[in-house]
Amino acid sequence: LNAAPGRAPRQRVRFLPAPGGSGAVELVAARVPVLADHPLVRGPRFRKLKIGAGHRLDVKASGVFVLGIGHGNKLLTDLYNCHLTKVYTVGGLFGKATDDFSDTGNLVEKTTFDHITREKLERILAVIHGTNQKALLMYSNIDMKTQEAYELAVKGLIRPMGKSPPIITAVRILQFALPEFQLEIHCLHETQQYLRKMVHEIGLELKSSAVCTQVRRIRDGAFTVDDALPRTQWKLQSIQEAIRNCQLKVETELKKTL
Amino acid sequence: RRGLGVAAGPPSTCQLREAEEAAPVFQYAGKAARRKDRVFVWGFSYSGALGVPSFVRPDAGWKKPRRIQPTPYRLETEEKISSAACGYGFTLLASNTRDITKVWGMGLNKDSQLGFQRSRRDQTKGYEYVLEPSPIPLPLEKPQQTRVLQVSCGRAHSLVLTDSEGVFTMGNNSYGQCGRKVVEDEIYSGSHLIHQLKEFDSRVVQVVCGQDHSLFRTKKGTVYACGWGADGQTGLGHYNITSVPTKLHGDIAGVNIIQVSSCGDCCLAVSDEGDVFGWGNSEYLQLASVTETTQVNVPRHLPFKIGKIKEAACGGTGNVVLTEEGNVFVWGYGILGKGPNLIETAVPEMIPPSLFGWSDFSPDTRVAHVRCGLSQFAALTNRGELFVWGKNLRGCLGTGRMEDQYFPWRVTVPGEVVDVACGVDHMVSMVRSF
């Protein structure tokens, strides 16, 4: 970054004695660069970079992680206040229950799972969806008796714009092959451990047990996996390009919500 | 070094794997695990209509009487309940069984709408309030063969439909709603009389109670009515009392009716071709699309251009229909479900399907059934979810809040809701567990 050509030095108008010709003291206006802007005086432009993190991502989880650099940190508070949904792919395994709900924990119990069918899983997910829809309406702090509450509910735009417990807005089965299954979960204000706990509870509801094998965030508000940079591309050019590509999206999103 | 044992450090991965494989496997549910059928009740409990005696008379010192049950509460029943009906302060539950006891009743019994419930304190008198589901003795000819198909409750009378022995009626008969001749100064409290109705042109397949009148639908598609007619709800062309079930004519003559519905003083009927007919009270614009009069005593066809109608439900002041595509239309007066601004309309308005759980994520979620209480509406989706809206009289909506609900709201029931019966201030639902 420091090697990139920086800002041109500021120019100042100074009245300097005219060149040549001794004797006559004539002042001529001339534009000279300010000495304070000289690179040898100023030193390297960047000594530290402020990087802020967006929504938290676990050590055991993977996926899109939003960072703010420099002035972008101011947009991070706006990101929090937008309360947009995040999308995760959660992989689970039936038949085991561990103490920290993931497959690397200490085993608590093993159960049978051959009675589980896709239909039963869909039923449980419908109940989860239903209770979370209710929570969505309740925590949004809108007076249910107003006409605008009705209109927002029709469009599906009601969501909590303040602090709330984790809420799941949509669930869908992506893959189901006993004992493994994979779900796509859209949620708000959640933590990855909450998602693992949910997998465990789904196992309990189906009268068996389940552990979570994978949590991957594929979308965080307006940022998807396609915008995200994998470890091989953590270079200055790709970072700058990614920021440029996302600028438009970020602006439209902010204008829409706030 | 004696080496009496190896020091136990943290278990290595292969030790952990071995321990995991050696762990016992528990089985909580086998492949043949059946889904259980349950009954959930909620609403006003002091009349005994919820069937939980401890709400009215607490049986333990720490329990307090519960006037309102705001969320669904599980009711233990001996048999699987196939049909339920809520009246004004009482409930009937019926099972499809061949056992002797087929119908249970609870709640208000001041007009013997639950039959004669012999009091244990005084063998000659009956209970006026029944707090627990108590068997109703029906005078069946073949009690171990006949099955009860359906029950229905009105303000102070009840109807029980059997498969081979016609319809049994009990309760108040001051307007002939039980289908027998009105006896002057008859005392209905503690009465043993249960009347049997058999004279119809074919087998009765559906019975519906309005507030003080009864409707019978036969297999041939005809509708019979008896009871109070001052609002024209009997549909017989006059405004008098009818004490014998009489066939209806008007616009439904010759039409094969597949469903009838009534709760207050207005009635709706759906034909097999998807048309809807209405008669009775029209003070709340229920029939204003065809006539300006406030009482219609002959069935009239309601020319709505909303598609083929599958099911209709009639409430006290508002009506709701369900079309073949799964759309819900409401009209009438009161809280209709489209926000606080829509108070009355004579023409059906559709409730957007997104309020019933339809979204891009689940595009095949649709409403499967609609039911009506006196001032509440209920809708069941094909995913087994129950949505309610309307006036929340004494907590009857089951949402957990005491405020009125202006648009469809999910009721959290631990199971898949199969059917729901709505009354004035309480509701009963039949649920299958997961």
Side-chain angles (χ1 to χ4, degrees):
Chain A
L1 261 182
N2 287 329
R7 196 175 59 199
R10 287 171 291 175
Q11 307 278 354
R12 204 165 47 162
V13 176
R14 278 191 74 185
F15 293 95
L16 299 170
S22 51
V25 188
E26 247 183 43
L27 291 176
V28 174
R31 277 204 125 91
V32 286
V34 173
L35 272 179
D37 273 352
H38 198 272
L40 288 174
V41 173
R42 229 184 24 195
R45 215 160 140 230
F46 293 102
R47 265 180 290 191
K48 294 193 280 222
L49 262 187
K50 280 207 177 125
I51 300 188
H55 295 114
R56 267 181 246 191
L57 197 62
D58 247 330
V59 176
K60 284 187 266 194
S62 62
V64 176
F65 189 31
V66 178
L67 297 163
I69 304 181
H71 289 299
N73 288 315
K74 295 184 196 142
L75 291 172
L76 278 179
T77 36
D78 290 337
L79 182 73
Y80 285 139
N81 295 337
C82 266
H83 300 285
L84 295 166
T85 56
K86 302 183 224 3
V87 182
Y88 288 81
T89 38
V90 175
L93 192 72
F94 284 121
K96 253 170 64 167
T98 54
D99 55 356
D100 67 345
F101 311 133
S102 77
D103 52 349
T104 52
N106 297 323
L107 181 71
V108 167
E109 194 180 53
K110 271 170 50 169
T111 55
T112 57
F113 49 83
D114 44 359
H115 60 276
I116 300 178
T117 60
R118 195 186 170 118
E119 199 194 77
K120 284 191 195 167
L121 184 62
E122 275 176 2
R123 240 182 274 142
I124 302 286
L125 293 181
V127 171
I128 292 177
H129 184 63
T131 40
N132 278 281
Q133 285 290 96
K134 245 182 95 159
L136 201 65
L137 295 177
M138 279 193 342
Y139 284 102
S140 61
N141 282 334
I142 299 184
D143 188 7
M144 290 298 148
K145 296 196 178 166
T146 53
Q147 184 67 19
E148 51 167 300
Y150 163 73
E151 265 147 35
L152 285 175
V154 170
K155 285 188 232 156
L157 291 180
I158 293 190
R159 58 173 197 270
M161 296 303 269
K163 273 194 114 163
S164 90
I167 296 184
I168 294 172
T169 51
V171 209
R172 191 162 61 164
I173 304 181
L174 290 176
Q175 282 175 35
F176 183 79
L178 281 178
E180 291 173 3
F181 64 98
Q182 206 181 50
L183 305 171
E184 183 183 312
I185 305 182
H186 296 229
C187 38
L188 276 176
H189 305 162
E190 80 304 340
T191 56
Q192 284 79 41
Q193 192 62 10
Y194 179 79
L195 295 174
R196 290 190 197 102
K197 188 169 165 204
M198 218 188 68
V199 171
H200 176 252
E201 281 172 4
I202 289 175
L204 290 180
E205 275 290 315
L206 288 165
K207 302 195 178 65
S208 174
S209 52
V211 289
C212 178
T213 47
Q214 179 210 40
V215 177
R216 182 172 181 245
R217 182 150 67 197
I218 54 177
R219 200 191 146 99
D220 186 342
F223 303 99
T224 60
V225 178
D226 306 320
D227 306 321
L229 297 169
R231 201 189 270 260
T232 51
Q233 284 186 14
W234 288 359
K235 306 220 171 21
L236 178 64
Q237 276 81 21
S238 22
I239 294 177
Q240 282 178 329
E241 205 183 292
I243 295 177
R244 244 174 275 134
N245 290 341
C246 288
Q247 243 176 1
L248 184 63
K249 261 199 273 190
V250 167
E251 267 177 37
T252 42
E253 205 53 62
L254 283 177
K255 249 188 273 190
K256 223 175 23 167
T257 327
L258 295 175
Chain B
R1 266 201 168 214
R2 269 184 293 178
L4 280 175
V6 183
S12 64
T13 14
C14 62
Q15 272 176 331
L16 276 174
R17 222 177 323 133
E18 278 165 31
E20 228 181 82
E21 268 151 48
V25 179
F26 291 94
Q27 184 182 51
Y28 290 108
K31 273 201 156 159
R34 293 264 165 272
R35 292 171 74 186
K36 298 182 201 59
D37 298 284
R38 303 209 161 108
V39 176
F40 283 82
V41 292
W42 61 90
F44 184 64
S45 69
Y46 273 1
S47 57
L50 298 189
V52 185
S54 57
F55 285 169
V56 187
R57 290 273 162 82
D59 45 9
W62 55 268
K63 282 191 192 169
K64 286 208 198 78
R66 215 183 287 193
R67 180 173 164 258
I68 288 175
Q69 173 57 37
T71 48
Y73 185 90
R74 188 164 141 208
L75 184 69
E76 299 275 352
T77 51
E78 287 139 19
E79 295 266 356
K80 172 184 180 254
I81 302 295
S82 59
S83 165
C86 293
Y88 287 40
F90 66 104
T91 318
L92 278 184
L93 303 171
S95 162
N96 214 2
T97 170
R98 280 217 164 108
D99 292 348
I100 301 191
T101 315
K102 302 172 207 285
V103 189
W104 294 263
M106 54 246 202
L108 212 53
N109 197 23
K110 288 197 167 177
D111 287 293
S112 299
Q113 52 262 63
L114 305 174
F116 183 71
Q117 302 288 336
R118 198 179 295 278
S119 161
R120 259 182 283 178
R121 269 195 244 170
D122 185 349
Q123 301 281 339
T124 52
K125 295 211 182 63
Y127 281 128
E128 283 198 336
Y129 290 91
V130 178
L131 298 181
E132 214 176 24
S134 309
I136 297 179
L138 294 171
L140 294 165
E141 273 175 20
K142 305 198 178 103
Q144 279 166 337
Q145 279 181 29
T146 319
R147 286 192 204 266
V148 167
L149 297 176
Q150 194 216 330
V151 280
S152 185
C153 303
R155 180 187 61 88
H157 71 296
S158 353
L159 302 178
V160 177
L161 173 65
T162 58
D163 58 354
S164 51
E165 295 195 36
V167 182
F168 290 91
T169 66
M170 45 202 168
N172 190 307
N173 194 40
S174 2
Y175 307 110
Q177 60 264 49
C178 286
R180 57 186 168 90
K181 200 151 164 303
V182 181
V183 174
E184 267 204 41
D185 298 328
E186 182 178 350
I187 300 176
Y188 299 105
S189 159
S191 156
H192 291 251
L193 186 55
I194 298 184
H195 188 65
Q196 188 178 16
L197 291 168
K198 276 190 184 170
E199 286 88 30
F200 298 95
D201 62 358
S202 50
R203 194 162 69 82
V204 178
V205 287
Q206 189 192 1
V207 286
V208 168
C209 288
Q211 195 165 0
D212 282 307
H213 70 289
S214 313
L215 297 170
F216 309 85
R217 175 173 71 87
T218 63
K219 203 165 159 138
K220 282 196 183 159
T222 52
V223 180
Y224 287 74
C226 64
W228 200 39
D231 275 326
Q233 58 262 54
T234 44
L236 295 168
H238 56 76
Y239 293 111
N240 307 327
I241 290 175
T242 317
S243 49
V244 172
T246 320
K247 195 161 160 176
L248 266 71
H249 296 282
D251 284 358
I252 60 174
V255 179
N256 185 14
I257 301 289
I258 55 165
Q259 197 234 340
V260 195
S261 168
S262 176
C263 186
D265 291 325
C266 181
C267 313
L268 285 181
V270 178
S271 73
D272 56 350
E273 308 204 335
D275 297 314
V276 68
F277 301 83
W279 65 96
N281 191 357
S282 180
E283 285 166 18
Y284 302 100
L285 309 178
Q286 291 108 317
L287 307 172
S289 51
V290 283
T291 170
E292 291 270 318
T293 50
T294 50
Q295 273 87 14
V296 179
N297 59 4
V298 172
R300 294 287 303 270
H301 172 60
L302 301 174
F304 297 140
K305 299 266 177 301
I306 52 182
K308 200 166 155 191
I309 291 172
K310 202 166 72 162
E311 207 177 73
C314 211
T317 56
N319 298 341
V320 60
V321 289
L322 176 69
T323 59
E324 286 276 338
E325 298 111 47
N327 291 325
V328 176
F329 287 83
V330 286
W331 78 98
Y333 173 84
I335 301 179
L336 295 176
K338 290 194 73 165
N341 286 1
L342 188 70
I343 302 275
E344 58 176 8
T345 166
V347 178
E349 302 242 351
M350 183 167 101
I351 296 189
S354 57
L355 289 174
F356 292 113
W358 180 93
S359 69
D360 302 318
F361 246 102
S362 50
D364 36 326
T365 304
R366 346 161 21 175
V367 177
H369 298 283
V370 282
R371 302 270 182 266
C372 238
L374 202 62
S375 40
Q376 308 86 23
F377 299 87
L380 296 169
T381 61
N382 56 356
R383 282 164 136 227
E385 292 183 314
L386 173 63
F387 287 84
V388 290
W389 66 98
K391 269 205 96 55
N392 197 3
L393 199 57
R394 299 186 274 270
C396 61
L397 289 184
T399 54
R401 295 152 63 215
M402 300 307 289
E403 291 123 33
D404 301 335
Q405 187 55 36
Y406 289 91
F407 56 90
W409 184 271
R410 256 184 198 82
V411 176
T412 326
V413 177
E416 190 186 317
V417 184
V418 173
D419 202 2
V420 71
C422 306
V424 171
D425 54 9
H426 71 291
M427 282 197 202
V428 169
S429 64
M430 277 150 304
V431 172
R432 285 180 93 186
S433 70
F434 295 120

